[in-house]
Amino acid sequence: MPDGAPVTAVEETYTISQLAEAFELTPRTIRYYEDEGLLTPRREGQQRVYTHRDWARLKLIMRGKRLGFTIAGIKDFLDLYEVGDAQVPQMRFLLSSARDRIATLEQQLRDVQQTLVDLKEIEGLVVDHLARKGALDA
Amino acid sequence: MPDGAPVTAVEETYTISQLAEAFELTPRTIRYYEDEGLLTPRREGQQRVYTHRDWARLKLIMRGKRLGFTIAGIKDFLDLYEVGDAQVPQMRFLLSSARDRIATLEQQLRDVQQTLVDLKEIEGLVVDHLARKGALDA
DNA sequence: CCTTACGTTTACGTAAACGTAAAGTGAGAG
DNA sequence: CTCTCACTTTACGTTTACGTAAACGTAAGG
């Protein structure tokens, strides 16, 4: 292996509009996430260069949004994934944050399940009602 | 049974601040929900009088909020519970609305479950890390 | 060189979900 | 009658999560 050759292949990168299209966001939104500290792409000249790591973060961001979290809440959540080099006091904080979030998510899980039960009952009622009227086609 | 006696007992009612306290909301918020058509209390003079039905609706509203729905979205959702006297075209619409919502909730269910998996893994890592440092007390 | 395409910063605009202050109403206590 | 207290309406203020317009940089293509 020649001297100084990088072990990892040339990492694939993305422009802001590639990310935007992939996630169905606008560039404006992605820059906003940067302002809020959710993404920190490097610069090449003045242009932003995104890596596969930013891609992964965006996936988490989208999931957080579907779950109804605020951007600030999502940032806190993303920080939990950065456990690598934390010191003990910081770790204790992370642990308690993670556990808080687990608790609210478990509440949310119950809410979703109960709402699904409700909605499926409604669905049954409506289907039934339509059947009695012989209007169940389509 | 005496003439004209009501079959149902005198229904229990609530003032706005009773509801506010019970659900940890402000009266302002509850009036706002009325402006948006989520609640329609009757009036006694100028005062709002809430019944057990409004109580039930508020429970659904709170659940909707925990799930991250918008107020307008929650209103649509509440309307689904009013299936009683709908006509066939309206029912078809209700059915499709309910099914749409079921779909997004099932996505949300998957999101919550996956996030819980992630977070519990993080929790495990952190606990582990703290253990190796012999800092697991408290 | 000019245009086109994509990127950038700066900055004001907007919708949603309330907060908050101002000013008035009605019923009961003293 | 006055005071208080809870309730009311009206209306402007605030935060979040972007949209949108202006003005500019830069590289590629004709």
Side-chain angles (χ1 to χ4, degrees), chain A residues 98 102 106 109, chain B residues 113-127:
Chain A
I102 286 173
E106 282 174 340
L109 185 59
Chain B
Q113 286 168 341
Q114 182 58 51
T115 307
L116 275 173
V117 168
D118 288 6
L119 276 177
K120 285 179 176 170
E121 186 185 334
I122 291 177
E123 186 194 11
L125 287 176
V126 173
V127 167

Side-chain angles (χ1 to χ4, degrees), chain B residues 81-132:
Chain B
Y81 281 81
E82 237 77 320
V83 197
D85 52 341
Q87 298 307 309
V88 170
Q90 175 63 7
M91 279 229 185
R92 288 195 184 290
F93 177 72
L94 284 185
L95 184 54
S96 113
S97 302
R99 284 176 172 166
D100 285 358
R101 197 154 293 239
I102 287 174
T104 82
L105 278 174
E106 281 174 341
Q107 171 63 48
Q108 195 163 350
L109 186 57
R110 287 190 294 275
D111 285 335
V112 171
Q113 286 168 341
Q114 182 58 51
T115 307
L116 275 173
V117 168
D118 288 6
L119 276 177
K120 285 179 176 170
E121 186 185 334
I122 291 177
E123 186 194 11
L125 287 176
V126 173
V127 167
D128 219 58
H129 221 87
L130 282 177
R132 277 178 219 287

Side-chain angles (χ1 to χ4, degrees), chain B residues 15 17 31 43 46-48:
Chain B
T15 76
S17 34
R31 292 191 194 101
R43 302 301 180 100
Q46 77 170 351
Q47 305 226 155
R48 294 168 172 83

Side-chain angles (χ1 to χ4, degrees), chain B:
Chain B
M1 197 151 74
D3 177 333
V7 176
T8 57
V10 200
E11 194 172 6
E12 187 168 4
T13 63
Y14 314 89
T15 76
I16 197 170
S17 34
Q18 282 170 345
L19 274 193
E21 182 171 5
F23 288 92
E24 304 192 306
L25 298 172
T26 65
R28 162 69 182 144
T29 299
I30 296 180
R31 292 191 194 101
Y32 174 69
Y33 292 160
E34 181 175 348
D35 286 346
E36 300 302 310
L38 305 194
L39 297 173
T40 50
R42 67 166 200 272
R43 302 301 180 100
E44 225 157 65
Q46 77 170 351
Q47 305 226 155
R48 294 168 172 83
V49 178
Y50 298 89
T51 74
H52 125 277
R53 187 222 186 212
D54 298 303
W55 183 285
R57 292 202 131 217
L58 255 181
K59 275 187 74 169
L60 290 176
I61 293 173
M62 297 308 282
R63 205 170 68 190
K65 287 198 2 175
R66 286 196 301 272
L67 294 181
F69 288 113
T70 70
I71 299 303
I74 293 174
K75 174 178 163 50
D76 295 345
F77 175 77
L78 285 175
D79 291 346
L80 293 182
Y81 281 81
E82 237 77 320
V83 197
D85 52 341
Q87 298 307 309
V88 170
Q90 175 63 7
M91 279 229 185
R92 288 195 184 290
F93 177 72
L94 284 185
L95 184 54
S96 113
S97 302
R99 284 176 172 166
D100 285 358
R101 197 154 293 239
I102 287 174
T104 82
L105 278 174
E106 281 174 341
Q107 171 63 48
Q108 195 163 350
L109 186 57
R110 287 190 294 275
D111 285 335
V112 171
Q113 286 168 341
Q114 182 58 51
T115 307
L116 275 173
V117 168
D118 288 6
L119 276 177
K120 285 179 176 170
E121 186 185 334
I122 291 177
E123 186 194 11
L125 287 176
V126 173
V127 167
D128 219 58
H129 221 87
L130 282 177
R132 277 178 219 287
K133 302 213 170 193
L136 248 190
D137 27 313

Side-chain angles (χ1 to χ4, degrees), chain A residues 54-73:
Chain A
D54 299 303
W55 182 287
R57 292 202 131 216
L58 255 180
K59 275 187 73 169
L60 290 176
I61 293 174
M62 298 308 281
R63 204 170 69 188
K65 286 198 1 176
R66 287 196 300 273
L67 294 180
F69 288 113
T70 70
I71 297 303

